[in-house]
Amino acid sequence: MRYDLIVIGMGLSGLMSAKTAVDAGAKVLVVGKGTGGLCLFTSGIDVMGALPAGAAMGEALPRWIERHPDHPYAKMGWEGVREALEAFAELFPPPYGFAPEGEGNCLLPTGAGTTRPTYLVPATMRSACRLEKERTLLVGFQGFRDFYAEYAAAGLKCRGENLAIPEIAGRNNSATSLARLLEDLPFREQVAAEIVRRLRGETHVGFPALLGFRNPMEILKDLEDRTGTAIFEIPILPPSVPGMRIFRRFRQHLIARGATFLLGSPVSRILRNGPSCTAVEILHPPVTQVYEADRFVLATGRFMGGGLCADEETMREPLLGLPLSASLPREHWFERSFLEGREHAIHGVGVVTDGDLRPLDGAGRPYAANLWIAGTLLAHQRWIDEKSREGIEIATGYRAARKALAS
Amino acid sequence: MNREESKIVNPDVCIRCATCMGICPVARVTASFPGPKQAGPGAERFRKPGDPSVDEWIHLCIGCRLCDTVCSSCVNVSEMNLLAKAKYRDEHGMPLRDWMFAHNSFVEKLAGRVPRLSNAVLRNPLVRRLLDRLLKIDLRRPLPVYEATTFRQWFRTHTGRGGKPIGYFYGCYANTHERDVAIAAVQVLEAAGYEVVIPRQECCGLPALGQGDVGEARRMAERNVPWLLAAVRSGLEIVFTSTSCGHMLKYEYSRFLEIPDADEVARHLHELFDYLRDLQGKGQFDVRFRSRPLRAAYFAPCHLRSLQIGFPSLDILRRIPELQIEMVDADCCGMGGLYGFKKEKAPIADAIGADLTKAVERLNVEMVLTECEGCRMQIQRLTGLRTLHPIQIVRDALEPGAGN
Amino acid sequence: MHLKTEVIIIGGGSTGTGIARDLALREIPSILLEKGDFTSGASGRNHGLLHSGARYVVSDREAARECITENRILKAIAPHCIEATGGFFVSLPEDSLYWRDQFIRSCMDVGIEAEPLQRDDVLQRDPAINPDLVAAVRVPDGAVDPFLLVIENARDAERNGAKCLTHVEVTELLAAGGRIRGVMARDTITGEPHDIEAPFVVNATGAWADHILKLAGLHLGLILSKGSMLITNRRLCRHVINRCRPPGDGDIIVPNETVSILGTTSVTIDDIGRIEVTPPEVSRLIEAASHLIPAVKTTRFIRAYAGVRPLFQFADAADGRAVSREFVLVDHGARDGLSGLITITGGKLITYRLMAEKVCDLLCGKMGVRVDCKTAVTPLPGAERPFDLSGRLKEFGDVPLQGRGETLCDCELIGRGEIEGILRQGRLRNLQDILHRTRLAKGTCQGAFCVYRLLGVLQEQGLTGGGEPHEILKGFLEERWKGVRPILGGLSLREEELIESIYRGLFNL
């Protein structure tokens, strides 16, 4: 069986590529080992957190792009980014929708008691925009070790308490087990009662981000009704339940539209014939499976995803050996300080592409006739400090698929 | 299998990201199981060779392998867990019930010879109460019913239509309890122009492996592989309908048990729908389907996910006119094969099953399709809906006289 | 605060706390001052090796004899700080068997149990060893937990009348008429000054000996030698593995709880300042260790660290009292005309007790007191924490966690209960103080999740000091970085991407 498009990588950029292609009617195979960073550190949809506070995205981002002409966003411009974001958001109709709060970034509280800028805010985090400290109570759970309400509250200068629910206190509860329990009415009633007991006039209550998988707004509204407060989710240590919601939605959509969804396979080789890629080889010992396609999108991420690897001295792109934007000596990979000063140079290294997201060879020509790159594997972006990961993944995933199908 | 020599065990690659914690169905319903991050690569750092096993909680792992699929570091969590279970069993011995489960095929063969008696005995409330009390086999779970005649007996008197020969591994459960699944497989293959051949085969050994009895699993594998190898070397491709058996034969025989020549067999073993989908892609599965105006849910079993072939039955089912298929939004049914029969596992199997039930109920369907017999048992019990192997619907949808 | 005592001990490493305990058991009051936390110096940055002495037996029999004696004593008095793994001296094909014979004979002469073993026997006992080995010799090496050892000494000292003040730095040595009178000191966290009177001051500051002596215008001329070590993610071998040849870099691999420690190097440095493990050291250590354990080439490393050894070379005996070529005891009364000041430096972790005994004997002599040393025969009391690595896996299970509390550190299986126990002991002034007393954050991810959780617990208990709460977190991440940066390559890059994604990305620190 031959596919119109094979997407290598199951992170947000791969999923977005695959979605874009199936929506255009293409026969798609999406393959990956792991769920990308999606299920680990997703809060909102970041586009460019590094803009000045209060700036309107539609004005400030184009200016930022002009100053960073090598950045992936420069390949499609703000218009291209916006179009891709819309294509993403249409997967999430109300009540669990993603939308900006106002014109630009919104500062959302985190589990560490800091705030972070993000652009598209999921409905469950909306009440956290414009936090009023004196009117906010953060709640965690005794027996849940990935969020400590008092600690987060100390940073955010509001109040925080860990709820004592007998059923779960004193045990090692996980985010998913709590998310599941919250889908259950009796448990929610207990939680709500506990919150009410602890309120001292606060109007807003912050929860760790685990208000269920499938119907978070239903759970949120129920808790709001029972407590008489506005409720919001706070992103916490991995795994990320909000990220899992996004993953499951993409998976559902792709399978329903006939995509072949291979979660769990590492691609061991991309086969080529002259200027074109012809197939992917998936080593699933003892068997090797080969899938052929006309077009390929490589969205394998960075080190965690396996898009880049390194030995003690050199970095490389392991599947095709694509040239990277820089050949940094090991001692320049990381700065002496972890947090202060310059960003670590290693993060800017990646695969260089043309405006259509085709990777370039050493001479600046497209490496293959039918290969496109999406996601954080791309060079000249520093998503960690820009706070731009989801935006890059969505915009380049969208564009790569459209360019591929147009070819 | 020596843990130190095993290529399987490599906790060094784990980066502790906890993605696996997000997917584990057992960790989702109970805090007693520390979850794959801890049970696998986490615990490996503490397991010193020669030390006794104390990780009794490892038996809570249901063996769904979903952790492996989401791990971007390629940690073989489920195999680490399996090795730990096996070591624990080696040292602590096995409860009688688990020993019986490990030697399931033997029990099945005997009981299958006297189906009416077996059914009567196993339905008897007193017997069930005794099994529950003494062996801790969950009272509430219906035990599979023995068919009056087995699939093999049916096949012995069946004549095909000729055509290209294809091998079929039917699996002992279909043979004694759900022969229509196997019959449907034969009928569909024949409609596709094949002559079905049954190579010599016995129980794949998964029940033994699942109980941690690696020795018994190996013995059974060592019997099956030469027979299947002979079939393969005679030019046969072999298809299977039970995704659990298929995963065992195709992957565990070579990866975990390292049976010689198992990899050669693996290359010629195919999940039936995967094979049909392939044929379809080459234009060689042109059978005509009648209209089946039904709303059905499809549930992807864990072993199917581990086969890494996607969900090929959907590709075939979608060809049946007016058949509405909805995919069940749940990752695991909670049965875990024989796991779900164990009384002490009942709360976990029930809780995971409850989530599955809600997911099915939301779809408002008349029946549920799934390739795994364990899932069928669980779904049937919890939803009351008719549950079938997708091949049965496909067979039902064949135009009379349909064929290439 | 104004205090008065008999002996002031400067330095809270193994030597200093050993002296405090020895004095306490002789009923002599002392006050120990440490500018950081216990084990801030070499005691907290060594190989964790309980020498049998075999390593020195060919070149320095006296040193070896001291080692094996102390080895036995420590096993008797501090079994809970020691894992008696045994050790192998492995001969590879290129190693001189003549030297090996010398080695075995010397061990026997000195009284170190040395059991020659054949290749197959060795591989059976420790399959990780290079299969090309020719033979090995089994000796009574072991692994020691230096943090626990030092802290137990301090605790026992206090129980018997000593006073230990951490985070207190000596700022002046007070002297009058050629006699030491006491010290001025300062709390490094609060700035509170302390004025402590005592007729005797022991400078047990290890590599910082000259820094203290400078306060009195004195100088010993220590040579500072940096030794670097690498920590692997997993325990690679069951025994201490040595190379059976004249000692060199990177030829020892020591098991330590869940990991193995490779070491060490010897690089002369000028200044204690910020000591770093350098890339050439990392390469050298990996190269050397891989000859002994091939898996080192592909194994994952989680941290690198370096400690500074003070080495003292003196030309003639008139320079002070050299009790052994291994460590140096200097009576500044005899040497420099400042009586009552003693410096003890050099030595190794394993001989701390002996060094302390010599210091205390000297002090007693000067005080005109005759009390015997009891440290060799008095066991260190301490929570009996039987060394049972695999047994820790029992702790999950279908029972509520009760005393154990929820698991804070997933990698090292540390529960909240253990942390709360540490917090109850009090006197912990900063996060590192807590981290010295637990294995939390010592595992694969080096604190990625558990330090956040620890801070959550500290906040709940009101122990975060009221400053910006994420300043402590940031401080931890920077400290962690020092140990992680040298080994970033290969597999560990993926771990770092995770950490940065969480802390710089998600938490926006």
Side-chain angles (χ1 to χ4, degrees), chain A residues 49-266:
Chain A
L51 295 176
M57 184 66 72
E59 288 157 27
L61 188 62
R63 286 201 294 273
W64 190 96
I65 291 173
E66 268 172 48
R67 294 197 302 275
H68 301 83
D70 289 330
H71 193 271
Y73 282 165
K75 321 276 184 201
M76 74 286 294
W78 162 237
E79 273 312 307
V81 173
R82 208 185 40 77
E83 196 179 306
L85 292 175
E86 270 168 22
F88 166 83
E90 78 193 11
L91 260 190
F92 299 92
Y96 189 68
F98 285 79
E101 179 75 9
E103 296 293 311
N105 287 324
C106 159
L107 280 180
L108 290 182
T110 76
T114 54
T115 54
R116 71 183 311 280
T118 194
Y119 184 56
L120 294 185
V121 179
T124 49
M125 296 187 189
R126 193 158 295 286
S127 298
C129 306
R130 284 174 261 281
L131 207 60
E132 288 174 56
K133 312 165 200 199
E134 311 77 40
R135 306 173 65 154
T136 301
L137 171 71
L138 303 185
V139 298
F141 294 91
Q142 287 176 27
F144 179 56
R145 61 231 169 97
D146 290 333
F147 179 70
Y148 288 88
E150 280 184 51
Y151 182 74
L156 295 167
K157 315 257 189 293
C158 61
R159 211 164 64 81
E161 291 197 31
N162 271 8
L163 308 177
I165 315 279
E167 187 178 334
I168 60 168
R171 312 205 59 162
N172 270 329
N173 297 282
S174 60
T176 52
S177 67
L178 286 177
R180 179 178 174 274
L181 283 171
L182 281 165
E183 287 178 343
D184 210 36
L185 192 52
F187 184 77
R188 258 196 332 266
E189 284 172 352
Q190 281 188 71
V191 170
E194 259 289 288
I195 293 174
V196 166
R197 264 196 289 279
R198 292 164 186 259
L199 281 171
R200 289 189 219 152
E202 287 94 358
T203 55
H204 287 65
V205 173
F207 257 85
L210 37 74
L211 295 180
F213 297 99
R214 229 186 16 87
N215 54 347
M217 284 310 287
E218 197 182 301
I219 294 173
L220 185 140
K221 287 261 178 296
D222 185 43
L223 286 168
E224 284 186 333
D225 289 342
R226 286 174 193 284
T227 58
T229 61
I231 295 207
F232 58 88
E233 284 188 318
I234 301 172
I236 58 175
L237 286 178
S240 161
V241 170
M244 284 189 254
R245 293 178 195 139
I246 297 175
F247 180 76
R248 294 168 74 97
R249 183 71 193 96
F250 268 95
R251 180 173 67 174
Q252 197 180 43
H253 180 89
L254 291 171
I255 293 173
R257 280 174 180 52
T260 301
F261 194 87
L262 296 189
L263 174 61
S265 292

Side-chain angles (χ1 to χ4, degrees), chain B residues 182 231 375:
Chain B
C375 301

Side-chain angles (χ1 to χ4, degrees), chain A residues 33-35 40 171-172 174 176-177 180 214 238-239 244 248 251 255 258 262-265 284-286 289 304, chain B residues 17 19 22 28-29 31-32 68-72 250-251 254-255 306 308-311 318 329 331 351 355 362:
Chain A
K33 185 110 175 86
T35 54
L40 290 176
R171 312 205 59 162
N172 270 329
S174 60
T176 52
S177 67
R180 179 178 174 274
R214 229 186 16 87
M244 284 189 254
R248 294 168 74 97
R251 180 173 67 174
I255 293 173
L262 296 189
L263 174 61
S265 292
H284 189 42
Q289 287 154 196
M304 279 178 62
Chain B
C17 69
T19 304
R28 192 176 291 199
V29 302
S32 305
D68 294 351
T69 63
V70 299
C71 176
S72 60
K250 194 163 175 163
Y251 293 100
S254 58
R255 272 181 63 82
S306 294
Q308 292 293 301
I309 49 179
F311 312 114
R318 280 177 181 141
D329 185 18
D331 292 322
D355 291 346
R362 278 196 291 273

Side-chain angles (χ1 to χ4, degrees), chain C residues 63-326:
Chain C
R65 213 185 297 269
E66 268 170 14
C67 272
I68 187 64
T69 309
E70 291 303 309
N71 175 306
R72 292 187 187 118
I73 290 172
L74 288 180
K75 278 177 181 164
I77 66 167
H80 55 302
C81 302
I82 291 168
E83 190 192 348
T85 59
F88 290 135
F89 273 75
V90 173
S91 294
L92 296 178
E94 58 268 34
D95 298 333
S96 158
L97 290 178
Y98 169 73
W99 195 90
R100 179 170 183 262
D101 286 339
Q102 253 196 309
F103 170 79
I104 296 173
R105 259 183 289 118
S106 305
C107 281
M108 299 202 316
D109 287 346
V110 162
I112 299 174
E113 301 96 327
E115 183 192 349
L117 294 173
Q118 303 281 26
R119 172 192 180 270
D120 289 346
D121 194 0
V122 175
L123 287 176
Q124 218 204 21
R125 293 173 193 232
D126 218 323
I129 297 177
N130 188 343
D132 291 341
L133 84 139
V134 171
V137 183
R138 191 176 198 281
V139 296
D141 279 343
V144 60
D145 179 350
F147 298 92
L148 188 60
L149 185 64
V150 168
I151 286 169
E152 290 289 350
N153 269 279
R155 210 177 279 151
D156 201 35
E158 289 197 297
R159 227 179 262 121
N160 287 285
K163 199 174 167 69
C164 297
L165 298 176
T166 54
H167 299 288
V168 172
E169 180 172 12
V170 169
T171 50
E172 284 176 57
L173 292 177
L174 305 171
R179 253 219 87 78
I180 206 91
R181 256 202 335 102
V183 305
M184 290 295 297
R186 194 181 59 90
D187 186 305
T188 60
I189 295 177
T190 62
E192 181 192 348
H194 298 293
D195 159 16
I196 310 172
E197 257 184 73
F200 296 100
V201 173
V202 178
N203 176 14
T205 54
W208 284 264
D210 272 328
H211 285 241
I212 293 297
L213 290 176
K214 202 157 147 197
L215 297 174
L218 301 176
H219 184 66
L220 260 186
L222 287 178
I223 294 168
L224 302 178
S225 166
K226 175 183 71 164
S228 294
M229 273 142 296
L230 299 181
I231 304 181
T232 61
N233 179 46
R234 285 185 297 138
R235 194 169 162 126
L236 294 178
C237 52
R238 305 177 198 181
H239 305 82
V240 176
I241 311 290
N242 303 270
R243 189 84 180 257
C244 193
R245 65 171 186 190
D249 279 358
D251 54 5
I252 317 180
I253 302 156
V254 181
N256 180 299
E257 299 263 346
T258 47
V259 305
S260 288
I261 305 180
L262 275 57
T264 178
T265 57
S266 190
V267 178
T268 308
I269 57 170
D270 290 326
D271 146 54
I272 278 211
R274 177 182 164 134
I275 39 174
E276 279 183 338
V277 178
T278 61
E281 284 180 290
V282 174
S283 305
R284 227 172 29 244
L285 287 171
I286 294 176
E287 169 65 30
S290 64
H291 291 299
L292 288 169
I293 298 183
V296 164
K297 273 258 142 81
T298 50
T299 200
R300 175 155 164 209
F301 293 97
I302 56 177
R303 192 164 161 254
Y305 64 98
V308 179
R309 311 171 192 86
L311 300 178
F312 183 74
Q313 287 177 334
F314 58 98
D316 60 86
D319 248 349
R321 198 133 107 216
V323 186
S324 118
R325 264 174 285 172
E326 273 303 299

